[in-house]
Each structure stands twice: as C-alpha cells, then as structure tokens.
Amino acid sequence: MTASQSLAKMAVKAKASAFGNYIDPERMLADLPNMVLVELDVPEYERNGLGGMVAKTLRYEFVDLNQHGCEAMSIGAERSRAHMIYTDMKPVVVGTLKDVEARAPDVAKFLMERRYGPEMVAVGVLRAASMGLGVATADEQARLVAFLNKYHRRATWLETHPMDVRMANMEAMIGEGAAFDWARIFPTVETGEL
C-alpha cells in the first residue's frame, strides 16, 4: 500500500454528537476517500451559475454511529464553511490536485502561467471540461478566465454568507428559488456572462 492509498483510507475518529445539529439524521452520509477532490450537487452553487461545488474531503469515523462520513471544504473560495457530504449530493471523486491537472495539462499550464493557485487550477480544469473549453484560442482563454473570476467571487460570497444561503435554499424548497442578484452584490464587476 502506498502512502497516498493509506492517506485515502485514514479517518479522524469523532462522535457525531460532537457535531450537534450539523449532521442531518434524515440523510445518508457518504463515505469517500480522505483528502481528495470531489464534485457535489449543492443547490446554491448550481442556482447561481457555478455548476457543482468542487471541494476537498476530510473523512471521519463516527464511533457513536459505527459508520464513516466525510466533510467537504469548498475550494476556489477565499474560505469555506464545512459541508457534510450526503449521498443525495451525488459526490463524484475527481482525485488529487495532480490527478485533475493531468486531465488537461494544457489548461493547467495556461492557468498556472497566469498565477492561479493549485485549487483554482483544479476548478479551471474541471470547468473547462464541463463547458467544452480549451485554451487554443484567445476567446476560449477569456471565457475560462472570466468564469474562474466569477466562480471565485461568487463562491467566496456564498461561503461567507451562510444565513442568506440558508434562506435562499428554504425559498427554493417551496418553489421560489432564484439566483442572488449578483449585479447588486458586485455592481462594478458583474457585467454579464461571456
């Protein structure tokens, strides 16, 4: 077993009761490898034009529940609130930062040359693939950079405004869900989609 394989199987021993109301007993926890990147269906990300959340996992062994579960920390934002990962979030393991970069080395190189950090490079590679973008033309490069800047800005806001997000998610549950008014939140930079 290699060091990375053993790291993937590691888990922090914890009691679910120490997490308080943070773990939803009505939902099934997802057991994923430790310290890998995942894409998750998170309604506020989808609703606000970001696609799935890209996050890093931290694996727990909940000794009082006799099961494993994972917490996610969003990447691509200045900071992240912790998200428990449930199976209904349809987690897709995309691997380590290096695994993601290897999927599209030309995109990764382009973003690194523009001084994006490793996590934003990973978001860029994943989003370029889902958007059908490369970096062969100036238009594709501009569209990718514009999207990454939007992702960073909006994800940071979502992660640092949990009450606003919670209220918007509750509205969405009764059929009134709408994206935030980004032109009002960021009036000098939200000038439309490329």
Side-chain angles (χ1 to χ4, degrees), residues 64-127:
D64 51 343
L65 298 178
N66 196 29
Q67 68 181 42
H68 288 84
C70 286
E71 186 175 46
M73 298 301 279
S74 173
I75 67 169
E78 288 296 318
R79 41 183 90 88
S80 176
R81 58 199 154 101
H83 301 262
M84 289 307 295
I85 304 176
Y86 301 99
T87 56
D88 61 7
M89 295 166 84
K90 301 178 185 125
V92 175
V93 175
V94 294
T96 65
L97 291 168
K98 284 188 177 194
D99 295 334
V100 174
E101 288 174 14
R103 291 178 177 203
D106 57 331
V107 174
K109 180 180 179 204
F110 167 78
L111 294 172
M112 284 185 254
E113 287 173 350
R114 272 134 195 92
R115 292 190 166 67
Y116 282 98
E119 292 182 347
M120 284 304 291
V121 170
V123 171
V125 168
L126 293 170
R127 287 301 171 267

Side-chain angles (χ1 to χ4, degrees), residues 9-183:
K9 293 187 179 288
M10 287 178 61
V12 175
K13 288 186 186 279
K15 289 189 175 184
S17 57
F19 284 71
N21 293 333
Y22 184 56
I23 296 177
D24 185 345
E26 301 296 318
R27 298 166 78 188
M28 181 182 284
L29 290 168
D31 183 14
L32 304 166
N34 187 45
M35 300 301 288
V36 294
L37 299 180
V38 294
E39 286 192 276
L40 304 168
D41 286 350
V42 177
E44 60 266 23
Y45 276 64
E46 293 282 344
R47 196 170 45 250
N48 288 285
L50 304 182
M53 175 196 283
V54 182
K56 191 182 311 180
T57 62
L58 179 59
R59 188 169 184 251
Y60 290 95
E61 178 184 349
F62 293 111
V63 294
D64 51 343
L65 298 178
N66 196 29
Q67 68 181 42
H68 288 84
C70 286
E71 186 175 46
M73 298 301 279
S74 173
I75 67 169
E78 288 296 318
R79 41 183 90 88
S80 176
R81 58 199 154 101
H83 301 262
M84 289 307 295
I85 304 176
Y86 301 99
T87 56
D88 61 7
M89 295 166 84
K90 301 178 185 125
V92 175
V93 175
V94 294
T96 65
L97 291 168
K98 284 188 177 194
D99 295 334
V100 174
E101 288 174 14
R103 291 178 177 203
D106 57 331
V107 174
K109 180 180 179 204
F110 167 78
L111 294 172
M112 284 185 254
E113 287 173 350
R114 272 134 195 92
R115 292 190 166 67
Y116 282 98
E119 292 182 347
M120 284 304 291
V121 170
V123 171
V125 168
L126 293 170
R127 287 301 171 267
S130 68
M131 295 166 67
L133 291 176
V135 290
T137 68
D139 179 60
E140 286 181 311
Q141 293 172 3
R143 289 180 62 204
L144 181 58
V145 166
F147 178 82
L148 282 180
N149 292 338
K150 175 177 79 171
Y151 188 99
H152 175 76
R153 189 171 52 250
R154 290 184 183 184
T156 297
W157 192 92
L158 291 170
E159 293 298 319
T160 56
H161 291 80
M163 187 57 74
D164 296 287
V165 168
R166 187 171 294 131
M167 295 303 290
N169 284 345
M170 288 180 3
E171 289 171 359
M173 290 171 76
I174 59 170
E176 298 177 12
F180 287 105
D181 183 356
W182 295 109

